[in-house]
Amino acid sequence: MSILKKLSKLAGNKSLEEKLYDVLQTDTYKTELYKTWDLGEGMAVLHKNMWGWFKPKFLINHNKKTAFEFMDDWETLVTVTEDDVDWKSLKKLPEEAIERAEALSFQFPSFIRNFKNGVALVEWQLNPDGRYYMDDDGYGMTPDQEINIYGFIDTEGKVVVKFQAINGHKDLEKLRKIAEESVKKDKNNETE
């Protein structure tokens, strides 16, 4: 049973996101199995150690005292849907990478980067480079190429710029501007 289903059964007037925030502040989530990384702007990500890799499991908003499950225990994205991917930009990628995106699989090293102006870049690795498969003695390395796609999320883990293949740093800068404008527009609409 997911943590959110368990929380929904708890009594109280708080939202699920507020209940999750409270639970994540307990000693259970302050062990070597979990690490919290500050993302700036009152945001953090709580990573869970899964098979030796720290994975971004929960997005935490300290300002609003809320938390969101970003990835489940099966390494599947929770706040991202198939509609949050720019499929046209993935057309030239290998079929295996596209299938991982379709499955919303976050199994390879992927990251939520720092927040700036209410948005964070998410680097989603669809295929690792061949060293990922290598053991401590150097055996098992494959000729695989690293494949990443990029998107931007808001402080609730919702995608504000779809995940897509990019051609370089300039593309990321353009996408960040679009993401920041989207969040700014949403804030203005809330205050009207």
Side-chain angles (χ1 to χ4, degrees), residues 33-53:
L33 184 60
Y34 298 95
K35 287 193 188 291
T36 302
W37 295 354
D38 179 46
L39 297 177
E41 296 188 353
M43 298 296 299
V45 62
L46 186 118
H47 289 81
K48 181 177 182 182
N49 187 334
M50 299 173 137
W51 303 282
W53 297 92

PDB file of all heavy atoms in Angstrom, residues 33-53:
ATOM      1  N   LEU A  33      18.784   5.270   5.312  1.00  0.00           N
ATOM      2  CA  LEU A  33      17.994   4.879   4.145  1.00  0.00           C
ATOM      3  C   LEU A  33      17.495   6.103   3.371  1.00  0.00           C
ATOM      4  O   LEU A  33      17.194   6.019   2.187  1.00  0.00           O
ATOM      5  CB  LEU A  33      16.803   4.018   4.595  1.00  0.00           C
ATOM      6  CG  LEU A  33      15.901   3.431   3.527  1.00  0.00           C
ATOM      7  CD1 LEU A  33      16.686   2.518   2.588  1.00  0.00           C
ATOM      8  CD2 LEU A  33      14.754   2.664   4.168  1.00  0.00           C
ATOM      9  N   TYR A  34      17.437   7.241   4.040  1.00  0.00           N
ATOM     10  CA  TYR A  34      16.918   8.469   3.426  1.00  0.00           C
ATOM     11  C   TYR A  34      17.918   9.606   3.570  1.00  0.00           C
ATOM     12  O   TYR A  34      18.625   9.693   4.557  1.00  0.00           O
ATOM     13  CB  TYR A  34      15.603   8.883   4.101  1.00  0.00           C
ATOM     14  CG  TYR A  34      14.507   7.868   3.945  1.00  0.00           C
ATOM     15  CD1 TYR A  34      14.275   6.911   4.935  1.00  0.00           C
ATOM     16  CD2 TYR A  34      13.714   7.848   2.805  1.00  0.00           C
ATOM     17  CE1 TYR A  34      13.267   5.967   4.787  1.00  0.00           C
ATOM     18  CE2 TYR A  34      12.709   6.909   2.650  1.00  0.00           C
ATOM     19  CZ  TYR A  34      12.490   5.971   3.642  1.00  0.00           C
ATOM     20  OH  TYR A  34      11.499   5.037   3.491  1.00  0.00           O
ATOM     21  N   LYS A  35      17.932  10.481   2.580  1.00  0.00           N
ATOM     22  CA  LYS A  35      18.743  11.705   2.636  1.00  0.00           C
ATOM     23  C   LYS A  35      17.898  12.846   2.075  1.00  0.00           C
ATOM     24  O   LYS A  35      17.258  12.694   1.035  1.00  0.00           O
ATOM     25  CB  LYS A  35      20.009  11.577   1.804  1.00  0.00           C
ATOM     26  CG  LYS A  35      21.054  10.679   2.405  1.00  0.00           C
ATOM     27  CD  LYS A  35      22.371  10.867   1.695  1.00  0.00           C
ATOM     28  CE  LYS A  35      23.414   9.877   2.109  1.00  0.00           C
ATOM     29  NZ  LYS A  35      23.925   9.977   3.397  1.00  0.00           N
ATOM     30  N   THR A  36      17.917  13.968   2.769  1.00  0.00           N
ATOM     31  CA  THR A  36      17.195  15.144   2.296  1.00  0.00           C
ATOM     32  C   THR A  36      18.191  16.133   1.718  1.00  0.00           C
ATOM     33  O   THR A  36      19.193  16.451   2.355  1.00  0.00           O
ATOM     34  CB  THR A  36      16.400  15.800   3.450  1.00  0.00           C
ATOM     35  OG1 THR A  36      15.493  14.822   3.986  1.00  0.00           O
ATOM     36  CG2 THR A  36      15.604  16.996   2.954  1.00  0.00           C
ATOM     37  N   TRP A  37      17.916  16.589   0.498  1.00  0.00           N
ATOM     38  CA  TRP A  37      18.774  17.567  -0.162  1.00  0.00           C
ATOM     39  C   TRP A  37      17.994  18.861  -0.322  1.00  0.00           C
ATOM     40  O   TRP A  37      16.860  18.866  -0.816  1.00  0.00           O
ATOM     41  CB  TRP A  37      19.210  17.081  -1.529  1.00  0.00           C
ATOM     42  CG  TRP A  37      20.096  15.858  -1.506  1.00  0.00           C
ATOM     43  CD1 TRP A  37      20.616  15.229  -0.414  1.00  0.00           C
ATOM     44  CD2 TRP A  37      20.537  15.108  -2.635  1.00  0.00           C
ATOM     45  NE1 TRP A  37      21.364  14.146  -0.791  1.00  0.00           N
ATOM     46  CE2 TRP A  37      21.332  14.046  -2.155  1.00  0.00           C
ATOM     47  CE3 TRP A  37      20.340  15.222  -3.998  1.00  0.00           C
ATOM     48  CZ2 TRP A  37      21.932  13.121  -2.993  1.00  0.00           C
ATOM     49  CZ3 TRP A  37      20.930  14.303  -4.833  1.00  0.00           C
ATOM     50  CH2 TRP A  37      21.729  13.264  -4.336  1.00  0.00           C
ATOM     51  N   ASP A  38      18.604  19.957   0.082  1.00  0.00           N
ATOM     52  CA  ASP A  38      18.000  21.274  -0.064  1.00  0.00           C
ATOM     53  C   ASP A  38      18.027  21.674  -1.537  1.00  0.00           C
ATOM     54  O   ASP A  38      19.050  21.536  -2.209  1.00  0.00           O
ATOM     55  CB  ASP A  38      18.771  22.296   0.781  1.00  0.00           C
ATOM     56  CG  ASP A  38      18.207  23.686   0.657  1.00  0.00           C
ATOM     57  OD1 ASP A  38      16.977  23.841   0.734  1.00  0.00           O
ATOM     58  OD2 ASP A  38      19.006  24.632   0.481  1.00  0.00           O
ATOM     59  N   LEU A  39      16.883  22.189  -2.030  1.00  0.00           N
ATOM     60  CA  LEU A  39      16.788  22.613  -3.421  1.00  0.00           C
ATOM     61  C   LEU A  39      16.612  24.122  -3.555  1.00  0.00           C
ATOM     62  O   LEU A  39      16.359  24.624  -4.643  1.00  0.00           O
ATOM     63  CB  LEU A  39      15.619  21.906  -4.114  1.00  0.00           C
ATOM     64  CG  LEU A  39      15.705  20.388  -4.222  1.00  0.00           C
ATOM     65  CD1 LEU A  39      14.446  19.830  -4.876  1.00  0.00           C
ATOM     66  CD2 LEU A  39      16.939  19.956  -4.988  1.00  0.00           C
ATOM     67  N   GLY A  40      16.723  24.848  -2.429  1.00  0.00           N
ATOM     68  CA  GLY A  40      16.541  26.292  -2.471  1.00  0.00           C
ATOM     69  C   GLY A  40      15.074  26.681  -2.469  1.00  0.00           C
ATOM     70  O   GLY A  40      14.187  25.849  -2.684  1.00  0.00           O
ATOM     71  N   GLU A  41      14.823  27.959  -2.180  1.00  0.00           N
ATOM     72  CA  GLU A  41      13.470  28.521  -2.179  1.00  0.00           C
ATOM     73  C   GLU A  41      12.514  27.772  -1.246  1.00  0.00           C
ATOM     74  O   GLU A  41      11.311  27.692  -1.508  1.00  0.00           O
ATOM     75  CB  GLU A  41      12.886  28.597  -3.595  1.00  0.00           C
ATOM     76  CG  GLU A  41      13.649  29.532  -4.499  1.00  0.00           C
ATOM     77  CD  GLU A  41      13.001  29.780  -5.846  1.00  0.00           C
ATOM     78  OE1 GLU A  41      11.983  29.136  -6.186  1.00  0.00           O
ATOM     79  OE2 GLU A  41      13.522  30.640  -6.579  1.00  0.00           O
ATOM     80  N   GLY A  42      13.034  27.194  -0.166  1.00  0.00           N
ATOM     81  CA  GLY A  42      12.193  26.472   0.781  1.00  0.00           C
ATOM     82  C   GLY A  42      11.786  25.087   0.315  1.00  0.00           C
ATOM     83  O   GLY A  42      10.931  24.444   0.914  1.00  0.00           O
ATOM     84  N   MET A  43      12.420  24.607  -0.739  1.00  0.00           N
ATOM     85  CA  MET A  43      12.097  23.296  -1.306  1.00  0.00           C
ATOM     86  C   MET A  43      13.212  22.301  -0.976  1.00  0.00           C
ATOM     87  O   MET A  43      14.366  22.685  -0.772  1.00  0.00           O
ATOM     88  CB  MET A  43      11.935  23.402  -2.829  1.00  0.00           C
ATOM     89  CG  MET A  43      10.815  24.318  -3.274  1.00  0.00           C
ATOM     90  SD  MET A  43       9.181  23.751  -2.767  1.00  0.00           S
ATOM     91  CE  MET A  43       9.077  22.164  -3.604  1.00  0.00           C
ATOM     92  N   ALA A  44      12.849  21.029  -0.931  1.00  0.00           N
ATOM     93  CA  ALA A  44      13.819  19.957  -0.697  1.00  0.00           C
ATOM     94  C   ALA A  44      13.328  18.696  -1.381  1.00  0.00           C
ATOM     95  O   ALA A  44      12.151  18.578  -1.746  1.00  0.00           O
ATOM     96  CB  ALA A  44      13.992  19.711   0.805  1.00  0.00           C
ATOM     97  N   VAL A  45      14.226  17.764  -1.560  1.00  0.00           N
ATOM     98  CA  VAL A  45      13.852  16.452  -2.072  1.00  0.00           C
ATOM     99  C   VAL A  45      14.358  15.421  -1.073  1.00  0.00           C
ATOM    100  O   VAL A  45      15.488  15.516  -0.592  1.00  0.00           O
ATOM    101  CB  VAL A  45      14.389  16.188  -3.501  1.00  0.00           C
ATOM    102  CG1 VAL A  45      15.889  16.203  -3.562  1.00  0.00           C
ATOM    103  CG2 VAL A  45      13.853  14.886  -4.058  1.00  0.00           C
ATOM    104  N   LEU A  46      13.501  14.476  -0.727  1.00  0.00           N
ATOM    105  CA  LEU A  46      13.890  13.384   0.153  1.00  0.00           C
ATOM    106  C   LEU A  46      14.176  12.184  -0.739  1.00  0.00           C
ATOM    107  O   LEU A  46      13.291  11.711  -1.451  1.00  0.00           O
ATOM    108  CB  LEU A  46      12.778  13.056   1.157  1.00  0.00           C
ATOM    109  CG  LEU A  46      13.225  12.006   2.180  1.00  0.00           C
ATOM    110  CD1 LEU A  46      13.191  12.596   3.581  1.00  0.00           C
ATOM    111  CD2 LEU A  46      12.356  10.791   2.102  1.00  0.00           C
ATOM    112  N   HIS A  47      15.434  11.760  -0.727  1.00  0.00           N
ATOM    113  CA  HIS A  47      15.865  10.612  -1.521  1.00  0.00           C
ATOM    114  C   HIS A  47      15.769   9.349  -0.680  1.00  0.00           C
ATOM    115  O   HIS A  47      16.016   9.383   0.519  1.00  0.00           O
ATOM    116  CB  HIS A  47      17.318  10.781  -1.967  1.00  0.00           C
ATOM    117  CG  HIS A  47      17.516  11.821  -2.995  1.00  0.00           C
ATOM    118  ND1 HIS A  47      17.595  13.158  -2.704  1.00  0.00           N
ATOM    119  CD2 HIS A  47      17.662  11.722  -4.334  1.00  0.00           C
ATOM    120  CE1 HIS A  47      17.791  13.834  -3.818  1.00  0.00           C
ATOM    121  NE2 HIS A  47      17.832  12.992  -4.821  1.00  0.00           N
ATOM    122  N   LYS A  48      15.457   8.255  -1.333  1.00  0.00           N
ATOM    123  CA  LYS A  48      15.448   6.949  -0.684  1.00  0.00           C
ATOM    124  C   LYS A  48      16.533   6.096  -1.333  1.00  0.00           C
ATOM    125  O   LYS A  48      16.673   6.084  -2.560  1.00  0.00           O
ATOM    126  CB  LYS A  48      14.091   6.266  -0.852  1.00  0.00           C
ATOM    127  CG  LYS A  48      14.015   4.912  -0.162  1.00  0.00           C
ATOM    128  CD  LYS A  48      12.638   4.296  -0.293  1.00  0.00           C
ATOM    129  CE  LYS A  48      12.572   2.957   0.437  1.00  0.00           C
ATOM    130  NZ  LYS A  48      11.262   2.327   0.268  1.00  0.00           N
ATOM    131  N   ASN A  49      17.299   5.400  -0.516  1.00  0.00           N
ATOM    132  CA  ASN A  49      18.323   4.510  -1.024  1.00  0.00           C
ATOM    133  C   ASN A  49      17.640   3.264  -1.577  1.00  0.00           C
ATOM    134  O   ASN A  49      17.019   2.502  -0.847  1.00  0.00           O
ATOM    135  CB  ASN A  49      19.308   4.140   0.085  1.00  0.00           C
ATOM    136  CG  ASN A  49      20.483   3.354  -0.433  1.00  0.00           C
ATOM    137  OD1 ASN A  49      20.410   2.667  -1.454  1.00  0.00           O
ATOM    138  ND2 ASN A  49      21.596   3.453   0.266  1.00  0.00           N
ATOM    139  N   MET A  50      17.765   3.095  -2.894  1.00  0.00           N
ATOM    140  CA  MET A  50      17.183   1.936  -3.574  1.00  0.00           C
ATOM    141  C   MET A  50      18.301   1.226  -4.324  1.00  0.00           C
ATOM    142  O   MET A  50      18.839   1.769  -5.281  1.00  0.00           O
ATOM    143  CB  MET A  50      16.080   2.378  -4.543  1.00  0.00           C
ATOM    144  CG  MET A  50      14.926   3.088  -3.869  1.00  0.00           C
ATOM    145  SD  MET A  50      13.790   3.745  -5.093  1.00  0.00           S
ATOM    146  CE  MET A  50      12.241   3.285  -4.342  1.00  0.00           C
ATOM    147  N   TRP A  51      18.669   0.060  -3.857  1.00  0.00           N
ATOM    148  CA  TRP A  51      19.697  -0.756  -4.482  1.00  0.00           C
ATOM    149  C   TRP A  51      21.012   0.016  -4.628  1.00  0.00           C
ATOM    150  O   TRP A  51      21.693  -0.083  -5.641  1.00  0.00           O
ATOM    151  CB  TRP A  51      19.220  -1.292  -5.829  1.00  0.00           C
ATOM    152  CG  TRP A  51      17.966  -2.075  -5.692  1.00  0.00           C
ATOM    153  CD1 TRP A  51      17.849  -3.350  -5.245  1.00  0.00           C
ATOM    154  CD2 TRP A  51      16.646  -1.623  -5.941  1.00  0.00           C
ATOM    155  NE1 TRP A  51      16.531  -3.727  -5.207  1.00  0.00           N
ATOM    156  CE2 TRP A  51      15.769  -2.675  -5.640  1.00  0.00           C
ATOM    157  CE3 TRP A  51      16.099  -0.429  -6.390  1.00  0.00           C
ATOM    158  CZ2 TRP A  51      14.398  -2.570  -5.769  1.00  0.00           C
ATOM    159  CZ3 TRP A  51      14.727  -0.331  -6.515  1.00  0.00           C
ATOM    160  CH2 TRP A  51      13.906  -1.394  -6.215  1.00  0.00           C
ATOM    161  N   GLY A  52      21.354   0.821  -3.613  1.00  0.00           N
ATOM    162  CA  GLY A  52      22.622   1.533  -3.613  1.00  0.00           C
ATOM    163  C   GLY A  52      22.598   2.904  -4.277  1.00  0.00           C
ATOM    164  O   GLY A  52      23.609   3.590  -4.308  1.00  0.00           O
ATOM    165  N   TRP A  53      21.471   3.307  -4.811  1.00  0.00           N
ATOM    166  CA  TRP A  53      21.334   4.619  -5.445  1.00  0.00           C
ATOM    167  C   TRP A  53      20.290   5.430  -4.680  1.00  0.00           C
ATOM    168  O   TRP A  53      19.228   4.927  -4.359  1.00  0.00           O
ATOM    169  CB  TRP A  53      20.852   4.484  -6.900  1.00  0.00           C
ATOM    170  CG  TRP A  53      21.791   3.760  -7.790  1.00  0.00           C
ATOM    171  CD1 TRP A  53      21.797   2.421  -8.058  1.00  0.00           C
ATOM    172  CD2 TRP A  53      22.856   4.314  -8.550  1.00  0.00           C
ATOM    173  NE1 TRP A  53      22.794   2.106  -8.929  1.00  0.00           N
ATOM    174  CE2 TRP A  53      23.469   3.261  -9.256  1.00  0.00           C
ATOM    175  CE3 TRP A  53      23.370   5.604  -8.702  1.00  0.00           C
ATOM    176  CZ2 TRP A  53      24.553   3.457 -10.097  1.00  0.00           C
ATOM    177  CZ3 TRP A  53      24.441   5.794  -9.555  1.00  0.00           C
ATOM    178  CH2 TRP A  53      25.020   4.726 -10.231  1.00  0.00           C
TER     179      TRP A  53
END
